[in-house]
Amino acid sequence: MKPVPQTHIITADCPSRPGTVDVVTRFLYEQGFYINEIHSFDDTAEDRFFIRIEFRSDTETEFNRENFCQEFEQRAGEFEMQWQLASSSYKSKVVIMVSKHDHCLNDLLYRYRTGDLDIEIPAIISNHPDLKELAKWHGIPYYHLPISKETKPEQEAKVWQIIQDCEADLVVLARYMQVLSSDMCEKLAGKAINIHHSLLPGFKGARPYYQAYDRGIKLVGATAHYVSDDLDEGPIISQGVETVDHCYYPQDLAAKGRDIECLTLSRAVRCHIEHRIFMHGKKTVVFSK
Amino acid sequence: MKPVPQTHIITADCPSRPGTVDVVTRFLYEQGFYINEIHSFDDTAEDRFFIRIEFRSDTETEFNRENFCQEFEQRAGEFEMQWQLASSSYKSKVVIMVSKHDHCLNDLLYRYRTGDLDIEIPAIISNHPDLKELAKWHGIPYYHLPISKETKPEQEAKVWQIIQDCEADLVVLARYMQVLSSDMCEKLAGKAINIHHSLLPGFKGARPYYQAYDRGIKLVGATAHYVSDDLDEGPIISQGVETVDHCYYPQDLAAKGRDIECLTLSRAVRCHIEHRIFMHGKKTVVFSK
Amino acid sequence: MKPVPQTHIITADCPSRPGTVDVVTRFLYEQGFYINEIHSFDDTAEDRFFIRIEFRSDTETEFNRENFCQEFEQRAGEFEMQWQLASSSYKSKVVIMVSKHDHCLNDLLYRYRTGDLDIEIPAIISNHPDLKELAKWHGIPYYHLPISKETKPEQEAKVWQIIQDCEADLVVLARYMQVLSSDMCEKLAGKAINIHHSLLPGFKGARPYYQAYDRGIKLVGATAHYVSDDLDEGPIISQGVETVDHCYYPQDLAAKGRDIECLTLSRAVRCHIEHRIFMHGKKTVVFSK
Amino acid sequence: MKPVPQTHIITADCPSRPGTVDVVTRFLYEQGFYINEIHSFDDTAEDRFFIRIEFRSDTETEFNRENFCQEFEQRAGEFEMQWQLASSSYKSKVVIMVSKHDHCLNDLLYRYRTGDLDIEIPAIISNHPDLKELAKWHGIPYYHLPISKETKPEQEAKVWQIIQDCEADLVVLARYMQVLSSDMCEKLAGKAINIHHSLLPGFKGARPYYQAYDRGIKLVGATAHYVSDDLDEGPIISQGVETVDHCYYPQDLAAKGRDIECLTLSRAVRCHIEHRIFMHGKKTVVFSK
């Protein structure tokens, strides 16, 4: 029986110069791969080039990852290319952190359970015990790690240990209402996504729905971004929005916002695990579907 | 021949207490009017009540505005009601102020010309001469009033004179790139709408599309608000938004933003001239269609 | 201790004529109620008037429903008014019917569990056994009633029995992939909401995502409507939509569509249980928030 | 002085097989071009491959179009590639056809006048005289060609003559309320864009806003598509939509629809002149920005 062809994804970025596409596409051609999808962006303001290619083999030969990497590195080196290779069949390991609000967690778990998000969830970490049952029903270990000003370093050490033990590819702060330490932010750079319940840069910090209510906004939104040491200033991945009016008290904004948060966060997670996102200074390049 | 029934609009707000609806609806009933549309809002956080009613007479009796006002005031007084009466056949006089960008002006003129916005435009005022031809083609007087730091008080005096001479009901700052003085803001309180090319409160002040580009936003938007002395902090009337991605340089954001600005501003103007907006502290109540 | 004031909702429609608002608002005033919100619509094409009022008592007197109804009926009768009175504290009993796709069910159950939708779900009925566990986790009886061409009358009789036993206020077809008989449609007129996974009237009938794919649409959507005997022709309550492009195969449209279906259906259910919807011939009047 | 580098666009489609990307990217690399942007799509259902590449020369050598085409054709032939080469500095010649509704025309003229759409408009053709002044103000020849059942062949012959004389690259039916003959549709295949004021396939044919009103829709929209002999069945390019409710009579739907039509049509025109669209059977592949 013929094996199902496996799809791979190569992502790369490097200084802009002629040949940046060719060095990848020619290599793939020579190795006998078929390109499903190719997407590039050339940032002319920063002279930096980004490319994402999905490719597959139509032959029966098994994919030799080591060889591929070794050989491609020789060519990529000439272009000072930063590049990654991923297999689309690999299930990213996603650790979810949460406090008491469960809507984003519930949404991610549903997408996990049905395969809509093709991931593994090796751990859910919370500073509260409330959502244990939900985790349990999905058969996922739940780590209740309370936190206080005094115990923060200790708690974060435990969190980091779990992340490492799980070999997590991504940490999702699904309404985890604690500010991570600078040290933690650094360790998680480019690997942790937070959902903030406002249209950043508007309403940074605490209680954004209350801030939004006081300002009398007519659009309510949410922002998914990579965590950075600068609170609510990390690179934005996705944003969602809905119309509201004067009838919306803070709790109504929060209710409408919940749906937006779920959609915005899951979109960001999907883009991350499909290797569609590049960190680019304080911004992102996202080759979204 | 039977006269076409005229539609009137009464808007009122007052402290919340029983009878606030009844005092209006009973009066209209007693006077023999038919209510086309009624919309109310009770702000339970501030204990303030807002109501807007469209009504018409189905009889041949001509509408006696003076009588109506005199009699209704007696009842409204008991409720400390602030109220206005307007006729839907009255064409609001709208003075437009603009600098060099003509997209909002062009959009408003089109809606004016075709009757989509049922207004009169007695004057267009600009600190630049560039858009004179456009005004001329629409048969509207164009006042070129240059401005500099030194001449600002003088220029604003002229602007104010024109507004008064026109008996303007509304002043629209359709990308007028000058900050109005405190004095001018006060004079125009609740009667001047500005379009700001960002989703306020994000990117206040100068060059919002450049600010948005630097922040790497994934949604670009615009905000129409009443002018207040606090720059870009006036009560918000309407906001619009579209998705963007990393490909959008500032000029691309500006291009996409132009369409959003036009739609957001014209929506705010329409709500104002249809008496759908209440100023409510630093916010608005908008009974939009 | 002072009792918390209870909110009530009165909805009414009748032929258009002067006094239709007054008859309701004066009665409420005379009875000492405070009006929270009032919204009306006058269909000038059909000469029919619709009104929805939320009101509360600020006194300690308990609400005497029977008296209210008896007294108001006397006045309403003069206007040939059809009217209903509901208490906002009453939890509507919603029976959910489903086949194998669980996304809408899961979404409704989450909103039920968290109180976002303030309802009771006395029964989940399915022609398949697959979703039993999900129902069980939420503590809701699950009725597996298989159906075939031969057993349809018998199965529908059982379904109807459950609906009656539960005293269901609403039946939600949350991707129940069976066409109801004419008899069943008649029994459920105005009390059953279906979600169809297309922007009706486009792509009626079977496999709408495949139809949409074949047509090469650039927007995918969903429609919630009251069930009627005319398949996919019942009065529309709400519609939702998202952009797509050529990359979306039918399964991708289905994936994106799932989120739209959930939002569109839950919005319709919310409007129904909050008594915001009027059936109006083949259409609806929806006073949505 | 160094010449500003010119940007070119190559678009190609062919049966899917390995090497389809490489044959283009390698050629561009060998010729010393820099790739600004590359976007591909592989239709796995039809086994057809589509690619669009923007590239520029960073050297001073002038672009030799003839050579490029001759040499590339040799390689493209092996892949049975259909391909086109365009220069981004070329201004497409767009003939606009219109009847009496001027909103789309007005919108296109504004974008033309300000350079937002980088096109030439050598002619406006109408079956009515009404919009002559608008054309005149923009300095564009206006051809008034009335049409009746009897004169249709004759009128279309004149239209075709103008299109040919102008060497039009694109014909835009900006609310031209006449059905083109089969012969005309064939001549204009892939070169004529129509705007239909509904979300196709809903409400095909005449008076879609009235149809939509009768059906009680909660979303109103518009569809830009290539003209085909099958009325309102041509390949869809773009669709736009806005929410409405029971308050919208047909004329209100039309008013809201006008804005949607303008945005949807201009987006389609932009995609066409930027060579972002491929005809693909009864569908399109659109590499939109």
Side-chain angles (χ1 to χ4, degrees):
Chain A
M1 212 183 90
K2 217 179 150 184
V4 176
Q6 235 207 331
T7 299
H8 304 277
I9 299 154
I10 189 164
T11 53
D13 62 296
C14 63
S16 299
R17 61 178 249 221
T20 50
V21 173
D22 178 70
V23 70
V24 191
T25 53
R26 186 184 302 193
F27 180 78
L28 292 176
Y29 177 65
E30 288 171 2
Q31 302 278 323
F33 293 112
Y34 182 77
I35 292 178
N36 299 339
E37 193 183 291
I38 181 167
H39 209 145
S40 81
F41 171 62
D42 189 56
D43 185 338
T44 56
E46 308 269 346
D47 275 334
R48 192 149 191 99
F49 169 83
F50 302 82
I51 194 163
R52 178 187 186 276
I53 302 182
E54 280 189 29
F55 62 92
R56 67 170 191 268
S57 169
D58 284 338
T59 66
E60 291 188 32
T61 325
E62 214 176 319
F63 183 68
N64 186 326
R65 187 185 163 87
E66 207 176 322
N67 272 10
F68 183 104
C69 291
Q70 211 169 323
E71 290 185 30
F72 184 64
E73 179 54 33
Q74 286 173 22
R75 306 205 188 177
E78 288 177 45
F79 287 82
E80 301 168 69
M81 230 171 218
Q82 296 180 334
W83 65 278
Q84 293 78 33
L85 177 70
S87 161
S88 69
S89 66
Y90 173 77
K91 281 175 191 283
S92 290
K93 297 188 192 75
V94 180
V95 166
I96 301 177
M97 297 183 72
V98 67
S99 291
K100 287 181 164 186
H101 290 297
D102 70 347
H103 51 284
C104 285
L105 175 65
N106 184 71
D107 182 75
L108 292 171
L109 289 177
Y110 177 74
R111 294 178 198 275
Y112 154 73
R113 175 160 69 80
T114 57
D116 179 53
L117 281 179
D118 195 23
I119 56 176
E120 285 183 23
I121 304 181
I124 295 170
I125 300 172
S126 179
N127 53 330
H128 292 285
D130 308 50
L131 306 178
K132 190 167 187 174
E133 277 308 301
L134 188 60
K136 196 177 164 189
W137 194 68
H138 289 84
I140 298 170
Y142 185 85
Y143 300 89
H144 173 213
L145 302 177
I147 192 166
S148 67
K149 214 174 173 182
E150 291 72 33
T151 63
K152 186 165 177 167
E154 190 186 339
Q155 194 253 18
E156 286 201 341
K158 284 183 195 162
V159 169
W160 180 240
Q161 191 59 48
I162 293 166
I163 291 169
Q164 281 182 299
D165 290 350
C166 295
E167 298 183 321
D169 299 292
L170 178 66
V171 174
V172 175
L173 307 188
R175 295 297 299 272
Y176 179 68
M177 310 305 277
Q178 295 289 324
V179 178
L180 300 184
S181 69
S182 295
D183 178 51
M184 198 68 174
C185 288
E186 206 171 294
K187 281 176 182 160
L188 291 173
K191 296 178 75 174
I193 295 175
N194 182 48
I195 181 76
H196 183 78
H197 38 309
S198 82
L199 280 170
L200 290 176
F203 313 125
K204 285 195 282 190
R207 292 164 54 96
Y209 291 131
Y210 284 80
Q211 294 183 52
Y213 171 75
D214 286 339
R215 185 62 186 88
I217 47 82
K218 304 297 184 189
L219 286 175
V220 66
T223 304
H225 63 90
Y226 283 113
V227 170
S228 79
D229 193 20
D230 216 350
L231 189 64
D232 298 333
E233 288 283 2
I236 294 173
I237 302 167
S238 60
Q239 299 186 293
V241 73
E242 289 289 337
T243 53
V244 292
D245 67 14
H246 56 268
C247 294
Y248 285 75
Y249 295 99
Q251 64 271 30
D252 301 310
L253 294 176
K256 193 148 198 173
R258 280 194 290 270
D259 289 334
I260 309 171
E261 293 170 44
C262 292
L263 290 171
T264 303
L265 179 57
S266 67
R267 201 182 318 142
V269 170
R270 189 185 308 280
C271 284
H272 183 95
I273 64 168
E274 293 180 0
H275 311 279
R276 297 184 177 277
I277 316 177
F278 296 76
M279 297 279 278
H280 180 31
K282 299 174 79 170
K283 301 198 255 181
T284 62
V285 170
V286 184
F287 293 136
S288 63
K289 189 176 181 173
Chain B
M1 213 184 87
K2 212 178 156 184
V4 176
Q6 236 206 330
T7 299
H8 304 276
I9 299 154
I10 189 164
T11 52
D13 61 296
C14 63
S16 300
R17 60 177 250 220
T20 50
V21 173
D22 179 70
V23 71
V24 192
T25 54
R26 186 185 303 197
F27 180 78
L28 293 176
Y29 177 64
E30 287 171 2
Q31 301 278 325
F33 293 112
Y34 182 77
I35 291 180
N36 299 339
E37 193 184 290
I38 181 167
H39 208 146
S40 80
F41 171 63
D42 189 56
D43 185 338
T44 57
E46 310 268 346
D47 275 334
R48 191 150 193 99
F49 169 81
F50 302 84
I51 194 163
R52 177 187 187 274
I53 302 182
E54 279 189 31
F55 62 94
R56 65 170 192 268
S57 169
D58 284 337
T59 66
E60 289 188 34
T61 325
E62 212 176 320
F63 184 68
N64 186 326
R65 186 186 163 87
E66 208 173 322
N67 272 10
F68 183 102
C69 290
Q70 212 169 321
E71 292 186 28
F72 183 65
E73 179 53 34
Q74 287 173 22
R75 307 205 188 177
E78 289 177 45
F79 288 82
E80 301 167 71
M81 230 171 220
Q82 296 180 334
W83 65 277
Q84 294 78 36
L85 177 69
S87 161
S88 70
S89 66
Y90 173 76
K91 283 176 191 282
S92 290
K93 297 188 193 74
V94 180
V95 167
I96 301 176
M97 298 182 70
V98 68
S99 292
K100 287 182 163 185
H101 290 295
D102 70 348
H103 52 283
C104 285
L105 175 64
N106 184 71
D107 182 74
L108 292 170
L109 288 176
Y110 176 76
R111 295 178 197 275
Y112 155 72
R113 175 160 70 80
T114 57
D116 178 53
L117 280 177
D118 195 24
I119 56 176
E120 284 184 23
I121 303 180
I124 295 169
I125 301 172
S126 178
N127 53 331
H128 293 284
D130 307 51
L131 305 178
K132 189 168 189 172
E133 277 307 301
L134 187 59
K136 197 178 164 190
W137 195 68
H138 289 83
I140 299 169
Y142 184 87
Y143 300 89
H144 173 212
L145 301 177
I147 191 167
S148 68
K149 213 172 171 181
E150 292 71 33
T151 64
K152 186 164 178 167
E154 190 186 340
Q155 195 254 18
E156 285 200 342
K158 285 182 194 161
V159 170
W160 181 240
Q161 193 58 50
I162 293 166
I163 291 168
Q164 282 182 298
D165 290 350
C166 294
E167 299 182 320
D169 301 292
L170 177 66
V171 175
V172 176
L173 308 189
R175 295 296 299 272
Y176 179 67
M177 311 306 276
Q178 296 289 325
V179 178
L180 299 183
S181 69
S182 294
D183 178 50
M184 198 67 173
C185 288
E186 205 170 295
K187 282 175 181 161
L188 292 172
K191 296 179 76 175
I193 295 175
N194 181 50
I195 181 77
H196 182 77
H197 39 310
S198 81
L199 280 171
L200 290 174
F203 313 125
K204 287 195 280 191
R207 292 164 56 95
Y209 290 131
Y210 283 81
Q211 293 183 52
Y213 171 75
D214 287 339
R215 185 62 185 88
I217 47 82
K218 305 297 185 189
L219 287 175
V220 67
T223 304
H225 62 91
Y226 283 114
V227 171
S228 80
D229 194 18
D230 215 350
L231 187 66
D232 298 333
E233 290 282 2
I236 294 173
I237 302 166
S238 60
Q239 298 187 292
V241 73
E242 288 289 337
T243 53
V244 292
D245 67 14
H246 55 269
C247 294
Y248 285 74
Y249 295 99
Q251 64 271 31
D252 301 310
L253 294 176
K256 193 147 199 174
R258 280 195 290 269
D259 289 333
I260 308 170
E261 292 169 45
C262 291
L263 290 171
T264 304
L265 179 58
S266 67
R267 203 183 315 145
V269 170
R270 188 185 310 277
C271 284
H272 183 95
I273 62 167
E274 292 179 1
H275 311 280
R276 298 184 177 276
I277 315 179
F278 295 77
M279 295 280 278
H280 180 30
K282 299 176 78 170
K283 302 197 254 181
T284 61
V285 170
V286 184
F287 294 136
S288 63
K289 189 177 181 173
Chain C
M1 212 183 87
K2 213 179 154 186
V4 176
Q6 236 207 331
T7 300
H8 303 276
I9 299 154
I10 188 165
T11 51
D13 62 295
C14 64
S16 301
R17 60 176 250 219
T20 50
V21 173
D22 179 70
V23 70
V24 192
T25 54
R26 185 184 302 195
F27 180 78
L28 293 176
Y29 177 65
E30 289 172 2
Q31 303 277 326
F33 293 111
Y34 182 76
I35 291 180
N36 299 339
E37 193 184 290
I38 179 167
H39 208 144
S40 81
F41 171 63
D42 190 56
D43 185 339
T44 57
E46 309 269 346
D47 274 334
R48 191 150 192 98
F49 169 80
F50 302 83
I51 194 163
R52 178 186 185 276
I53 302 182
E54 279 189 29
F55 62 93
R56 64 170 193 268
S57 169
D58 284 336
T59 67
E60 290 188 33
T61 326
E62 213 175 321
F63 184 70
N64 187 327
R65 186 185 164 86
E66 208 174 324
N67 272 9
F68 183 104
C69 289
Q70 213 170 325
E71 291 185 30
F72 184 65
E73 179 54 32
Q74 286 172 22
R75 306 204 188 177
E78 289 178 46
F79 288 82
E80 301 168 70
M81 228 172 220
Q82 297 180 334
W83 64 277
Q84 294 78 34
L85 176 70
S87 161
S88 70
S89 66
Y90 174 76
K91 282 175 191 284
S92 290
K93 296 188 193 75
V94 179
V95 166
I96 302 177
M97 296 183 72
V98 68
S99 290
K100 288 182 162 183
H101 291 296
D102 70 349
H103 52 283
C104 286
L105 175 64
N106 183 72
D107 182 74
L108 292 170
L109 288 177
Y110 177 75
R111 297 178 195 275
Y112 154 73
R113 175 161 69 82
T114 58
D116 179 53
L117 281 177
D118 196 24
I119 56 176
E120 285 183 22
I121 304 182
I124 296 170
I125 300 171
S126 178
N127 54 329
H128 293 284
D130 307 51
L131 305 178
K132 189 168 188 174
E133 277 308 302
L134 187 59
K136 197 179 165 188
W137 195 68
H138 288 84
I140 298 169
Y142 185 87
Y143 300 88
H144 173 212
L145 302 177
I147 191 167
S148 67
K149 213 171 172 183
E150 291 71 33
T151 65
K152 187 165 178 168
E154 190 187 340
Q155 195 256 15
E156 286 200 340
K158 286 182 193 162
V159 169
W160 180 240
Q161 191 59 48
I162 294 166
I163 291 169
Q164 281 182 298
D165 291 349
C166 297
E167 299 182 321
D169 299 294
L170 177 66
V171 175
V172 175
L173 308 189
R175 296 297 299 271
Y176 179 67
M177 309 306 276
Q178 294 290 324
V179 178
L180 300 184
S181 68
S182 295
D183 177 52
M184 197 69 174
C185 288
E186 205 170 294
K187 283 175 180 161
L188 292 172
K191 297 180 73 174
I193 296 175
N194 181 49
I195 181 74
H196 183 76
H197 39 309
S198 83
L199 282 170
L200 290 175
F203 312 125
K204 288 194 282 191
R207 293 164 53 95
Y209 290 130
Y210 283 82
Q211 292 183 52
Y213 171 74
D214 286 338
R215 186 61 187 87
I217 47 81
K218 304 297 183 187
L219 288 174
V220 66
T223 304
H225 62 90
Y226 283 114
V227 171
S228 80
D229 193 19
D230 215 349
L231 188 64
D232 299 331
E233 288 282 3
I236 294 173
I237 303 166
S238 61
Q239 298 187 292
V241 74
E242 289 290 337
T243 53
V244 292
D245 68 13
H246 55 269
C247 294
Y248 285 73
Y249 294 99
Q251 65 269 32
D252 301 309
L253 294 176
K256 193 148 199 173
R258 279 194 291 268
D259 289 333
I260 309 170
E261 292 169 45
C262 291
L263 290 170
T264 304
L265 179 57
S266 65
R267 201 183 317 143
V269 170
R270 187 185 310 279
C271 285
H272 183 96
I273 63 167
E274 293 180 0
H275 310 281
R276 297 183 177 278
I277 316 178
F278 295 77
M279 297 279 279
H280 181 30
K282 299 175 79 170
K283 302 199 254 183
T284 62
V285 170
V286 184
F287 294 136
S288 63
K289 189 176 181 173
Chain D
M1 212 183 88
K2 213 177 152 186
V4 176
Q6 235 207 334
T7 298
H8 303 277
I9 298 153
I10 189 165
T11 52
D13 62 295
C14 64
S16 302
R17 59 177 249 218
T20 50
V21 173
D22 178 70
V23 71
V24 192
T25 54
R26 186 183 303 193
F27 180 78
L28 294 175
Y29 177 64
E30 287 171 2
Q31 302 277 325
F33 293 111
Y34 182 77
I35 291 178
N36 299 340
E37 192 184 293
I38 179 167
H39 209 145
S40 81
F41 171 62
D42 189 56
D43 185 339
T44 56
E46 307 269 345
D47 276 333
R48 191 150 191 99
F49 168 82
F50 302 83
I51 194 163
R52 179 188 186 274
I53 302 182
E54 280 189 30
F55 62 94
R56 67 171 191 267
S57 169
D58 283 337
T59 66
E60 291 188 32
T61 325
E62 212 176 319
F63 183 68
N64 186 326
R65 185 185 165 87
E66 205 174 326
N67 273 9
F68 183 104
C69 290
Q70 211 169 325
E71 291 185 30
F72 184 64
E73 178 53 33
Q74 285 173 23
R75 305 203 189 178
E78 288 177 45
F79 288 81
E80 300 168 72
M81 229 172 219
Q82 296 180 335
W83 63 278
Q84 293 79 35
L85 177 70
S87 161
S88 69
S89 65
Y90 172 77
K91 283 176 192 282
S92 290
K93 297 188 193 75
V94 180
V95 167
I96 301 177
M97 297 182 72
V98 67
S99 292
K100 287 182 164 185
H101 291 295
D102 70 349
H103 52 282
C104 286
L105 176 64
N106 184 71
D107 182 74
L108 292 171
L109 288 176
Y110 177 73
R111 296 177 196 275
Y112 154 73
R113 175 161 69 81
T114 57
D116 178 54
L117 280 178
D118 195 25
I119 57 175
E120 286 183 21
I121 304 181
I124 296 170
I125 301 171
S126 179
N127 53 329
H128 293 284
D130 308 52
L131 305 178
K132 189 168 188 173
E133 277 309 300
L134 186 60
K136 197 178 164 188
W137 194 68
H138 288 84
I140 298 169
Y142 185 86
Y143 300 89
H144 173 212
L145 302 177
I147 191 168
S148 68
K149 211 172 175 183
E150 291 72 34
T151 64
K152 184 163 178 168
E154 193 187 337
Q155 194 255 17
E156 286 201 342
K158 284 182 193 161
V159 169
W160 180 241
Q161 191 60 47
I162 292 166
I163 291 169
Q164 281 183 298
D165 289 350
C166 295
E167 299 182 321
D169 300 293
L170 177 67
V171 174
V172 175
L173 307 188
R175 297 294 302 270
Y176 180 67
M177 310 305 276
Q178 294 289 323
V179 178
L180 300 184
S181 68
S182 296
D183 178 49
M184 199 66 172
C185 289
E186 204 171 295
K187 281 174 180 163
L188 291 173
K191 298 179 74 174
I193 295 175
N194 182 50
I195 182 76
H196 183 77
H197 39 310
S198 82
L199 281 171
L200 290 175
F203 312 124
K204 288 196 280 190
R207 295 165 50 96
Y209 290 131
Y210 284 82
Q211 293 183 52
Y213 171 75
D214 287 338
R215 184 62 186 88
I217 47 83
K218 304 297 183 188
L219 288 174
V220 66
T223 304
H225 63 90
Y226 284 113
V227 170
S228 79
D229 193 18
D230 215 351
L231 188 65
D232 298 331
E233 288 281 5
I236 294 172
I237 302 167
S238 60
Q239 297 187 293
V241 74
E242 289 289 338
T243 52
V244 291
D245 67 14
H246 55 269
C247 294
Y248 285 74
Y249 295 99
Q251 64 270 32
D252 302 308
L253 294 176
K256 192 146 201 174
R258 279 195 291 268
D259 289 332
I260 309 170
E261 292 170 44
C262 291
L263 290 170
T264 303
L265 179 58
S266 66
R267 200 182 319 143
V269 170
R270 189 185 309 278
C271 284
H272 184 95
I273 63 167
E274 293 180 0
H275 310 281
R276 297 183 176 277
I277 315 177
F278 295 77
M279 297 278 278
H280 181 30
K282 299 176 79 171
K283 301 198 254 182
T284 62
V285 170
V286 184
F287 294 136
S288 63
K289 190 178 183 173

